[in-house]
mmCIF file of all heavy atoms in Angstrom:
data_model
loop_
_atom_site.group_PDB
_atom_site.id
_atom_site.type_symbol
_atom_site.label_atom_id
_atom_site.label_comp_id
_atom_site.label_asym_id
_atom_site.label_seq_id
_atom_site.Cartn_x
_atom_site.Cartn_y
_atom_site.Cartn_z
ATOM 1 N N GLU A 1170 3.361 -8.176 -1.616
ATOM 2 C CA GLU A 1170 2.446 -9.029 -0.956
ATOM 3 C C GLU A 1170 2.512 -8.921 0.556
ATOM 4 O O GLU A 1170 1.503 -8.921 1.224
ATOM 5 C CB GLU A 1170 2.654 -10.487 -1.442
ATOM 6 C CG GLU A 1170 2.340 -10.757 -2.832
ATOM 7 C CD GLU A 1170 0.811 -10.539 -3.067
ATOM 8 O OE1 GLU A 1170 0.075 -10.794 -2.205
ATOM 9 O OE2 GLU A 1170 0.481 -10.259 -4.304
ATOM 10 N N ILE A 1171 3.851 -8.760 1.048
ATOM 11 C CA ILE A 1171 3.963 -8.714 2.476
ATOM 12 C C ILE A 1171 3.552 -7.343 3.046
ATOM 13 O O ILE A 1171 2.809 -7.281 4.064
ATOM 14 C CB ILE A 1171 5.582 -8.945 2.840
ATOM 15 C CG1 ILE A 1171 5.984 -10.264 2.412
ATOM 16 C CG2 ILE A 1171 5.725 -8.553 4.215
ATOM 17 C CD1 ILE A 1171 7.441 -10.416 2.621
ATOM 18 N N LEU A 1172 3.602 -6.378 2.097
ATOM 19 C CA LEU A 1172 3.109 -5.007 2.683
ATOM 20 C C LEU A 1172 1.723 -4.965 2.625
ATOM 21 O O LEU A 1172 1.136 -4.101 3.395
ATOM 22 C CB LEU A 1172 3.707 -3.921 1.679
ATOM 23 C CG LEU A 1172 5.191 -3.662 1.866
ATOM 24 C CD1 LEU A 1172 5.653 -2.674 0.717
ATOM 25 C CD2 LEU A 1172 5.616 -3.259 3.237
ATOM 26 N N ARG A 1173 0.913 -5.891 1.884
ATOM 27 C CA ARG A 1173 -0.499 -5.785 1.922
ATOM 28 C C ARG A 1173 -1.000 -6.136 3.372
ATOM 29 O O ARG A 1173 -2.084 -5.689 3.772
ATOM 30 C CB ARG A 1173 -1.031 -6.817 0.979
ATOM 31 C CG ARG A 1173 -0.783 -6.376 -0.544
ATOM 32 C CD ARG A 1173 -1.362 -7.376 -1.488
ATOM 33 N NE ARG A 1173 -1.051 -7.043 -2.940
ATOM 34 C CZ ARG A 1173 -1.663 -6.082 -3.734
ATOM 35 N NH1 ARG A 1173 -2.581 -5.381 -3.142
ATOM 36 N NH2 ARG A 1173 -1.187 -5.961 -4.959
ATOM 37 N N SER A 1174 -0.212 -7.074 3.959
ATOM 38 C CA SER A 1174 -0.511 -7.422 5.294
ATOM 39 C C SER A 1174 -0.088 -6.373 6.294
ATOM 40 O O SER A 1174 -0.827 -6.098 7.361
ATOM 41 C CB SER A 1174 -0.119 -8.799 5.691
ATOM 42 O OG SER A 1174 1.248 -8.870 5.662
ATOM 43 N N THR A 1175 1.155 -5.799 6.194
ATOM 44 C CA THR A 1175 1.702 -4.931 7.159
ATOM 45 C C THR A 1175 1.110 -3.486 7.069
ATOM 46 O O THR A 1175 0.901 -2.771 8.002
ATOM 47 C CB THR A 1175 3.145 -4.916 6.988
ATOM 48 O OG1 THR A 1175 3.480 -4.387 5.645
ATOM 49 C CG2 THR A 1175 3.798 -6.339 7.336
ATOM 50 N N GLU A 1176 0.624 -3.102 5.759
ATOM 51 C CA GLU A 1176 0.166 -1.776 5.558
ATOM 52 C C GLU A 1176 -1.458 -1.912 5.392
ATOM 53 O O GLU A 1176 -2.032 -1.010 4.690
ATOM 54 C CB GLU A 1176 0.794 -1.167 4.401
ATOM 55 C CG GLU A 1176 2.267 -1.135 4.434
ATOM 56 C CD GLU A 1176 2.704 -0.205 5.615
ATOM 57 O OE1 GLU A 1176 2.020 0.720 5.909
ATOM 58 O OE2 GLU A 1176 3.827 -0.578 6.160
ATOM 59 N N ALA A 1177 -2.116 -2.941 5.884
ATOM 60 C CA ALA A 1177 -3.548 -2.914 5.794
ATOM 61 C C ALA A 1177 -4.201 -1.827 6.356
ATOM 62 O O ALA A 1177 -5.400 -1.432 5.945
ATOM 63 C CB ALA A 1177 -4.087 -4.349 6.300
ATOM 64 N N SER A 1178 -3.763 -1.268 7.524
ATOM 65 C CA SER A 1178 -4.516 -0.172 8.101
ATOM 66 C C SER A 1178 -4.460 1.114 7.381
ATOM 67 O O SER A 1178 -5.230 1.947 7.556
ATOM 68 C CB SER A 1178 -3.748 0.085 9.437
ATOM 69 O OG SER A 1178 -2.411 0.304 9.287
ATOM 70 N N SER A 1179 -3.586 1.179 6.261
ATOM 71 C CA SER A 1179 -3.573 2.422 5.352
ATOM 72 C C SER A 1179 -4.453 2.378 4.303
ATOM 73 O O SER A 1179 -4.474 3.202 3.462
ATOM 74 C CB SER A 1179 -2.184 2.660 5.135
ATOM 75 O OG SER A 1179 -1.660 1.684 4.226
ATOM 76 N N LYS A 1180 -5.258 1.276 4.159
ATOM 77 C CA LYS A 1180 -6.165 1.122 3.025
ATOM 78 C C LYS A 1180 -7.373 1.977 3.235
ATOM 79 O O LYS A 1180 -7.951 1.863 4.226
ATOM 80 C CB LYS A 1180 -6.485 -0.387 2.799
ATOM 81 C CG LYS A 1180 -7.150 -0.675 1.551
ATOM 82 C CD LYS A 1180 -7.326 -2.265 1.560
ATOM 83 C CE LYS A 1180 -7.969 -2.577 0.107
ATOM 84 N NZ LYS A 1180 -8.194 -4.081 -0.083
ATOM 85 N N ASN A 1181 -7.640 2.758 2.134
ATOM 86 C CA ASN A 1181 -8.873 3.725 2.275
ATOM 87 C C ASN A 1181 -10.108 3.033 1.714
ATOM 88 O O ASN A 1181 -10.017 1.819 1.276
ATOM 89 C CB ASN A 1181 -8.653 4.835 1.567
ATOM 90 C CG ASN A 1181 -8.297 4.707 0.030
ATOM 91 O OD1 ASN A 1181 -8.575 3.627 -0.459
ATOM 92 N ND2 ASN A 1181 -7.541 5.628 -0.503
ATOM 93 N N ILE A 1182 -11.211 3.692 1.674
ATOM 94 C CA ILE A 1182 -12.484 3.077 1.231
ATOM 95 C C ILE A 1182 -12.586 2.622 -0.185
ATOM 96 O O ILE A 1182 -13.348 1.917 -0.634
ATOM 97 C CB ILE A 1182 -13.767 4.004 1.537
ATOM 98 C CG1 ILE A 1182 -13.500 5.362 0.873
ATOM 99 C CG2 ILE A 1182 -13.879 4.240 3.043
ATOM 100 C CD1 ILE A 1182 -14.689 6.329 1.196
ATOM 101 N N PHE A 1183 -11.629 3.283 -1.018
ATOM 102 C CA PHE A 1183 -11.614 3.039 -2.401
ATOM 103 C C PHE A 1183 -10.645 1.853 -2.749
ATOM 104 O O PHE A 1183 -10.422 1.548 -3.870
ATOM 105 C CB PHE A 1183 -11.040 4.140 -3.065
ATOM 106 C CG PHE A 1183 -12.007 5.420 -3.047
ATOM 107 C CD1 PHE A 1183 -11.712 6.420 -2.157
ATOM 108 C CD2 PHE A 1183 -13.271 5.431 -3.647
ATOM 109 C CE1 PHE A 1183 -12.580 7.526 -2.029
ATOM 110 C CE2 PHE A 1183 -14.058 6.422 -3.467
ATOM 111 C CZ PHE A 1183 -13.793 7.608 -2.698
ATOM 112 N N GLY A 1184 -10.164 1.313 -1.734
ATOM 113 C CA GLY A 1184 -9.234 0.088 -1.937
ATOM 114 C C GLY A 1184 -7.810 0.554 -2.237
ATOM 115 O O GLY A 1184 -7.069 -0.437 -2.659
ATOM 116 N N ARG A 1185 -7.505 1.764 -2.154
ATOM 117 C CA ARG A 1185 -6.040 2.091 -2.296
ATOM 118 C C ARG A 1185 -5.358 2.334 -0.980
ATOM 119 O O ARG A 1185 -5.943 2.610 0.046
ATOM 120 C CB ARG A 1185 -6.074 3.516 -3.217
ATOM 121 C CG ARG A 1185 -6.745 3.410 -4.502
ATOM 122 C CD ARG A 1185 -6.659 4.686 -5.141
ATOM 123 N NE ARG A 1185 -7.193 4.542 -6.588
ATOM 124 C CZ ARG A 1185 -6.441 4.134 -7.679
ATOM 125 N NH1 ARG A 1185 -5.074 3.861 -7.508
ATOM 126 N NH2 ARG A 1185 -7.057 4.082 -8.799
ATOM 127 N N TYR A 1186 -4.055 2.264 -1.050
ATOM 128 C CA TYR A 1186 -3.191 2.300 0.042
ATOM 129 C C TYR A 1186 -2.619 3.747 0.217
ATOM 130 O O TYR A 1186 -2.010 4.250 -0.878
ATOM 131 C CB TYR A 1186 -1.973 1.256 0.052
ATOM 132 C CG TYR A 1186 -2.521 -0.149 0.107
ATOM 133 C CD1 TYR A 1186 -2.830 -0.950 -0.981
ATOM 134 C CD2 TYR A 1186 -2.681 -0.605 1.521
ATOM 135 C CE1 TYR A 1186 -3.318 -2.208 -0.741
ATOM 136 C CE2 TYR A 1186 -3.100 -1.995 1.700
ATOM 137 C CZ TYR A 1186 -3.365 -2.741 0.429
ATOM 138 O OH TYR A 1186 -3.877 -4.019 0.609
ATOM 139 N N SER A 1187 -2.773 4.348 1.338
ATOM 140 C CA SER A 1187 -2.169 5.713 1.507
ATOM 141 C C SER A 1187 -0.776 5.609 1.998
ATOM 142 O O SER A 1187 -0.102 6.605 2.173
ATOM 143 C CB SER A 1187 -3.012 6.500 2.548
ATOM 144 O OG SER A 1187 -3.166 5.804 3.772
ATOM 145 N N SER A 1188 -0.343 4.403 2.318
ATOM 146 C CA SER A 1188 1.072 4.265 2.830
ATOM 147 C C SER A 1188 2.212 4.512 1.668
ATOM 148 O O SER A 1188 2.006 4.087 0.583
ATOM 149 C CB SER A 1188 1.278 2.884 3.357
ATOM 150 O OG SER A 1188 2.655 2.539 3.691
ATOM 151 N N GLN A 1189 3.077 5.322 2.094
ATOM 152 C CA GLN A 1189 4.168 5.702 1.108
ATOM 153 C C GLN A 1189 5.067 4.396 0.724
ATOM 154 O O GLN A 1189 5.480 4.190 -0.260
ATOM 155 C CB GLN A 1189 4.961 6.740 1.613
ATOM 156 C CG GLN A 1189 6.008 7.276 0.644
ATOM 157 C CD GLN A 1189 5.499 7.928 -0.600
ATOM 158 O OE1 GLN A 1189 4.447 8.538 -0.452
ATOM 159 N NE2 GLN A 1189 6.153 7.765 -1.653
ATOM 160 N N ARG A 1190 5.162 3.539 1.651
ATOM 161 C CA ARG A 1190 5.927 2.263 1.331
ATOM 162 C C ARG A 1190 5.265 1.487 0.242
ATOM 163 O O ARG A 1190 5.962 1.047 -0.815
ATOM 164 C CB ARG A 1190 6.032 1.493 2.681
ATOM 165 C CG ARG A 1190 6.746 2.077 3.889
ATOM 166 C CD ARG A 1190 6.681 1.241 5.080
ATOM 167 N NE ARG A 1190 7.387 1.869 6.184
ATOM 168 C CZ ARG A 1190 7.276 1.212 7.425
ATOM 169 N NH1 ARG A 1190 6.566 0.153 7.629
ATOM 170 N NH2 ARG A 1190 7.958 1.821 8.359
ATOM 171 N N MET A 1191 3.945 1.299 0.399
ATOM 172 C CA MET A 1191 3.274 0.587 -0.558
ATOM 173 C C MET A 1191 3.344 1.279 -1.930
ATOM 174 O O MET A 1191 3.539 0.579 -3.023
ATOM 175 C CB MET A 1191 1.792 0.271 -0.233
ATOM 176 C CG MET A 1191 0.945 -0.352 -1.241
ATOM 177 S SD MET A 1191 1.534 -2.151 -1.437
ATOM 178 C CE MET A 1191 0.974 -2.950 0.100
ATOM 179 N N LYS A 1192 3.164 2.562 -2.057
ATOM 180 C CA LYS A 1192 3.172 3.272 -3.206
ATOM 181 C C LYS A 1192 4.650 3.128 -3.840
ATOM 182 O O LYS A 1192 4.577 3.003 -5.126
ATOM 183 C CB LYS A 1192 2.898 4.734 -2.983
ATOM 184 C CG LYS A 1192 1.465 5.071 -2.598
ATOM 185 C CD LYS A 1192 1.253 6.423 -2.383
ATOM 186 C CE LYS A 1192 -0.191 6.820 -1.972
ATOM 187 N NZ LYS A 1192 -0.484 8.337 -1.704
ATOM 188 N N ASP A 1193 5.660 3.245 -3.118
ATOM 189 C CA ASP A 1193 6.960 3.051 -3.679
ATOM 190 C C ASP A 1193 7.187 1.749 -4.401
ATOM 191 O O ASP A 1193 7.729 1.664 -5.407
ATOM 192 C CB ASP A 1193 8.121 3.414 -2.588
ATOM 193 C CG ASP A 1193 8.021 4.794 -2.128
ATOM 194 O OD1 ASP A 1193 7.514 5.632 -2.874
ATOM 195 O OD2 ASP A 1193 8.585 5.040 -1.003
ATOM 196 N N TRP A 1194 6.826 0.801 -3.685
ATOM 197 C CA TRP A 1194 7.127 -0.578 -4.279
ATOM 198 C C TRP A 1194 6.025 -0.803 -5.398
ATOM 199 O O TRP A 1194 6.497 -1.711 -6.298
ATOM 200 C CB TRP A 1194 6.996 -1.671 -3.086
ATOM 201 C CG TRP A 1194 8.117 -1.591 -2.285
ATOM 202 C CD1 TRP A 1194 8.158 -1.044 -1.019
ATOM 203 C CD2 TRP A 1194 9.405 -2.148 -2.434
ATOM 204 N NE1 TRP A 1194 9.411 -1.206 -0.493
ATOM 205 C CE2 TRP A 1194 10.289 -1.836 -1.268
ATOM 206 C CE3 TRP A 1194 10.019 -2.839 -3.673
ATOM 207 C CZ2 TRP A 1194 11.533 -2.162 -1.300
ATOM 208 C CZ3 TRP A 1194 11.389 -3.112 -3.471
ATOM 209 C CH2 TRP A 1194 12.141 -2.755 -2.401
ATOM 210 N N GLN A 1195 5.021 -0.513 -5.351
ATOM 211 C CA GLN A 1195 3.990 -0.597 -6.474
ATOM 212 C C GLN A 1195 4.551 0.121 -7.721
ATOM 213 O O GLN A 1195 4.479 -0.292 -8.801
ATOM 214 C CB GLN A 1195 2.652 -0.195 -6.162
ATOM 215 C CG GLN A 1195 1.926 -1.078 -5.225
ATOM 216 C CD GLN A 1195 0.560 -0.537 -4.932
ATOM 217 O OE1 GLN A 1195 0.287 0.627 -4.925
ATOM 218 N NE2 GLN A 1195 -0.366 -1.464 -4.262
ATOM 219 N N ASP A 1196 5.143 1.361 -7.476
ATOM 220 C CA ASP A 1196 5.727 2.090 -8.617
ATOM 221 C C ASP A 1196 6.911 1.307 -9.157
ATOM 222 O O ASP A 1196 7.195 1.212 -10.412
ATOM 223 C CB ASP A 1196 6.227 3.528 -8.058
ATOM 224 C CG ASP A 1196 5.019 4.373 -7.866
ATOM 225 O OD1 ASP A 1196 3.945 4.002 -8.242
ATOM 226 O OD2 ASP A 1196 5.237 5.308 -7.149
ATOM 227 N N ILE A 1197 7.720 0.674 -8.246
ATOM 228 C CA ILE A 1197 8.813 -0.132 -8.747
ATOM 229 C C ILE A 1197 8.384 -1.278 -9.630
ATOM 230 O O ILE A 1197 8.906 -1.537 -10.639
ATOM 231 C CB ILE A 1197 9.612 -0.583 -7.594
ATOM 232 C CG1 ILE A 1197 10.456 0.616 -6.922
ATOM 233 C CG2 ILE A 1197 10.654 -1.643 -7.948
ATOM 234 C CD1 ILE A 1197 11.150 0.276 -5.486
#
């Protein structure tokens, strides 16, 4: 939830995050 605000700039037009941080924690 915190990364959604800090990594908002990495969100693409499909609503997915290109940030590796977000991907790691979502996988966890």
Side-chain angles (χ1 to χ4, degrees):
E1170 291 296 330
I1171 295 173
L1172 290 177
R1173 292 183 189 277
S1174 60
T1175 58
E1176 305 296 326
S1178 59
S1179 63
K1180 190 175 183 181
N1181 55 26
I1182 59 176
F1183 299 104
R1185 296 180 179 274
Y1186 292 90
S1187 60
S1188 173
Q1189 185 62 36
R1190 295 174 181 173
M1191 179 64 75
K1192 290 179 181 181
D1193 292 341
W1194 288 103
Q1195 285 178 344
D1196 293 342
I1197 292 172

